[in-house]
Amino acid sequence: MTSGGDSPGMNAAIRSVVRTCAFYKIECAGIYRGYQGMIEGDFISLDARSVKGIINKGGTFLKSARSQEFRTKAGRQKAYNALKNANIDALVVIGGDGSFTGALLFSKEFNFPVMGIPGTIDNDIAGTSHTLGYDTTLNTVVDVIDKIRDTASSHNRLFFVEVMGRDVGYIALNAGVGAGAEEILIPEEDLGLERLLESLKRSKESGKSSSIVVVAEGDKIGKNVFELKDYVEENLPEYEVRVSVLGHMQRGGSPSCFDRVLASRMGVKAVESLLANESRLMVGLMNDKITVTPLHKAIKGQSKINKELIRVSDIMST
Ligand code: ATP
């Protein structure tokens, strides 16, 4: 099943789980609409051919959902009954930390084997250097910022580009460095309004014809992108500022080769772990090796922003 926010690469992960099951001659069922579909017994039998032509598709053909009912004991009991009625005896959950929290609780309550595959564009899960969809999103964001820069430099404008990332700044920091942003505002660091103004002033004086500032949704500067625009225009009247909020387009699109390969590797590991009687683990990628981490550590652990990359970004904006 896929659960929580969708991300590119989820289809590729479903395909991998289904094909690995077929390889080991295990029957496989897909659960529609995450935990809500699980409660309602909304299942579909899947064989190797059912997942043809989906490796390149964004989103998730099994659909995703958020389920309030699964948060209750009664809801989880219904879900367990539905799984038992369908003779399902192990579960692979592709989702984010909320989905893993639900999976862990469910596994403990009913002694049900579960494995997690991290599927979320934010890359905010410990125990893996990359979550599924993150790489695709970076490529999408870099592509869009390149386009914005074309218009920014034609008109000598400053653009604030807001990207996803309420609690973590991975997308902003990496796409910002990749797209040559002048400044990057992330939740992990409070740059401060004064420093932002100083930096923009320096940028103008050094003869730059356009400036891009990438802002994560949850940045700590204390103003949203539109308030930032007003603030900068008041304090630096030489700047004409525009705002671009990228929004949900960041979640969509065909997964990158990296995400397809990662999804394929993770799906194999998830099924093989269940076959080895392992449970309550999340599959991850560490130093290019497929690893497993206990679900409770993946949920509680903090994925740390790369300080070295922050330094690189500072040097690049000279
Ligand atoms: P994303 O990171 O993209 O938001 P997510 O997996 O964290 O993905 P959530 O909406 O937090 O998304 O969780 C998905 C679903 O998992 C919830 O709708 C709910 O059904 C279930 N879930 C989350 N937390 C719990 C919990 N504490 N107990 C039981 N179920 C939970």
Side-chain angles (χ1 to χ4, degrees):
M1 64 179 257
T2 46
S3 171
D6 65 297
S7 70
M10 281 185 160
N11 276 325
I14 298 166
R15 172 180 178 271
S16 172
V17 169
V18 172
R19 294 251 163 110
T20 308
C21 286
F23 179 83
Y24 285 108
K25 309 217 177 325
I26 304 163
E27 274 184 73
C28 184
I31 302 173
Y32 283 115
R33 296 177 293 115
Y35 290 121
Q36 198 53 42
M38 197 165 139
I39 290 169
E40 294 167 19
D42 195 1
F43 307 145
I44 177 176
S45 180
L46 296 172
D47 64 20
R49 297 282 75 74
S50 325
V51 287
K52 65 175 195 273
I54 64 167
I55 193 168
N56 57 337
K57 301 278 193 296
T60 157
F61 88 95
L62 286 178
K63 316 271 185 208
S64 192
R66 303 198 197 262
S67 168
Q68 282 309 319
E69 201 178 350
F70 193 78
R71 291 176 184 270
T72 66
K73 177 84 204 254
R76 293 192 293 277
Q77 180 68 54
K78 274 196 212 165
Y80 177 75
N81 296 346
L83 290 181
K84 278 290 134 192
N85 283 339
N87 290 320
I88 293 172
D89 44 30
L91 184 65
V92 178
V93 178
I94 306 165
D97 60 348
S99 303
F100 293 162
T101 306
L104 188 57
L105 194 60
F106 182 77
S107 174
K108 286 181 178 165
E109 275 173 352
F110 300 100
N111 195 24
F112 203 90
V114 298
M115 285 294 295
I117 292 180
T120 168
I121 64 166
D122 293 328
N123 209 34
D124 58 348
I125 293 182
T128 188
S129 61
H130 289 74
T131 55
L132 285 183
Y134 169 57
D135 180 71
T136 303
T137 297
L138 289 185
N139 287 307
T140 303
V141 172
V142 163
D143 191 41
V144 174
I145 297 178
D146 284 349
K147 289 179 171 129
I148 290 173
R149 190 179 289 282
D150 287 346
T151 170
S153 52
S154 302
H155 295 274
N156 284 353
R157 277 180 184 149
L158 163 65
F159 265 86
F160 285 108
V161 181
E162 188 192 90
V163 301
M164 283 188 172
R166 271 209 180 92
D167 306 309
V168 290
Y170 279 100
I171 296 175
L173 184 58
N174 282 271
V177 170
E182 277 64 38
E183 283 295 345
I184 303 167
L185 309 184
I186 54 175
E188 292 86 347
E189 257 209 342
D190 187 357
L191 178 72
L193 286 166
E194 284 314 307
R195 242 199 76 191
L196 177 65
L197 290 183
E198 277 308 310
S199 161
L200 292 173
K201 236 188 250 167
R202 255 187 287 120
S203 172
K204 195 75 168 179
E205 284 159 10
S206 73
K208 283 192 183 172
S209 64
S210 69
S211 291
I212 304 274
V213 176
V214 176
V215 187
E217 281 169 313
D219 84 282
K220 289 282 180 295
I221 209 156
K223 292 188 186 291
N224 69 37
V225 267
F226 296 99
E227 292 164 346
L228 269 181
K229 166 187 153 64
D230 293 343
Y231 181 80
V232 169
E233 282 184 336
E234 267 165 36
N235 289 279
L236 300 174
E238 63 271 34
Y239 268 112
E240 195 186 339
V241 187
R242 293 287 182 273
V243 169
S244 200
V245 177
L246 301 193
H248 281 83
M249 56 102 71
Q250 295 165 87
R251 277 189 193 280
S254 178
S256 64
C257 179
F258 181 91
D259 275 328
R260 296 181 200 189
V261 174
L262 183 62
S264 303
R265 295 172 77 186
M266 286 179 163
V268 170
K269 184 68 176 178
V271 175
E272 289 185 340
S273 300
L274 287 170
L275 281 173
N277 284 324
E278 289 180 292
S279 174
R280 299 177 196 165
L281 302 173
M282 183 197 78
V283 182
L285 182 73
M286 290 298 218
N287 303 317
D288 201 36
K289 294 224 158 33
I290 293 294
T291 55
V292 289
T293 303
L295 273 178
H296 69 90
K297 286 197 178 154
I299 296 162
K300 289 223 176 71
Q302 291 272 311
S303 59
K304 290 203 179 66
I305 203 85
N306 187 340
K307 294 264 185 222
E308 180 251 352
L309 199 52
I310 294 179
R311 211 172 74 81
V312 168
S313 159
D314 288 344
I315 295 172
M316 289 304 110
S317 62
T318 303

